[in-house]
Amino acid sequence: MTVLRSALNCLVSAAAIALLAAPGAAAEWDGMGPFIANYYEENMYSPKGWKLTYGGKEGNVDVFVFEVDLKNDPSYGDGDGYVQVMSLFCRDDGLRDFIDQGMKVRVDMRRFEKGRSTLSKGTRYVTCNN
């Protein structure tokens, strides 16, 4: 049952992202942040102990947050989630269109260690012009 549910989730995720590429999709972005974070979690690689969430909007910037649990593997603790989120947005035509149309996406890092958390705000917006 778990394999079937996972396969179904992947199909639904892929179909929804494909719909984002449809004309007029920019208006369809609202509310998609948590869905995109979930899609990433289900289908993309991130270092052990990292989890992508959608932090919401800050002004006109969509903020994604990697929550990093340092007790799992401290060697990845000083990483930057920018490359992972850039890969997510730039490898998908529909998501890339949002970036190309001027959508601003920032990636923050929230690190948990010894019962405390620290938040580091990203210093750049995701671009696909590389």
Side-chain angles (χ1 to χ4, degrees):
M1 183 67 117
T2 303
V3 173
L4 180 59
R5 183 179 13 231
S6 179
L8 183 58
N9 285 341
C10 287
L11 285 173
V12 170
S13 297
I17 285 182
L19 288 174
L20 291 175
E28 298 297 321
W29 171 258
D30 290 340
M32 292 300 294
F35 174 79
I36 298 302
N38 186 55
Y39 177 82
Y40 175 92
E41 283 298 306
E42 299 258 336
N43 298 288
M44 309 237 352
Y45 167 80
S46 62
K48 183 178 178 183
W50 288 33
K51 177 180 168 72
L52 185 64
T53 61
Y54 180 67
K57 287 190 87 68
E58 245 180 57
N60 66 341
V61 178
D62 284 277
V63 180
F64 287 84
V65 181
F66 267 110
E67 296 178 356
V68 181
D69 187 349
L70 295 174
K71 73 179 177 189
N72 282 321
D73 193 343
S75 65
Y76 288 114
D78 58 354
D80 179 357
Y82 176 85
V83 173
Q84 283 86 358
V85 173
M86 181 184 75
S87 177
L88 169 67
F89 274 85
C90 297
R91 288 185 181 174
D92 180 90
D93 290 340
L95 295 177
R96 183 185 181 107
D97 285 347
F98 286 116
I99 299 296
D100 290 346
Q101 293 170 14
M103 180 177 159
K104 292 181 181 174
V105 173
R106 187 182 79 217
V107 184
D108 294 349
M109 302 293 289
R110 179 175 289 120
R111 293 171 178 85
F112 297 92
E113 184 175 33
K114 299 178 184 173
R116 302 182 82 184
S117 72
T118 58
L119 178 68
S120 302
K121 290 190 175 191
T123 58
R124 56 191 167 167
Y125 300 126
V126 170
T127 62
C128 298
N129 299 329
N130 300 339

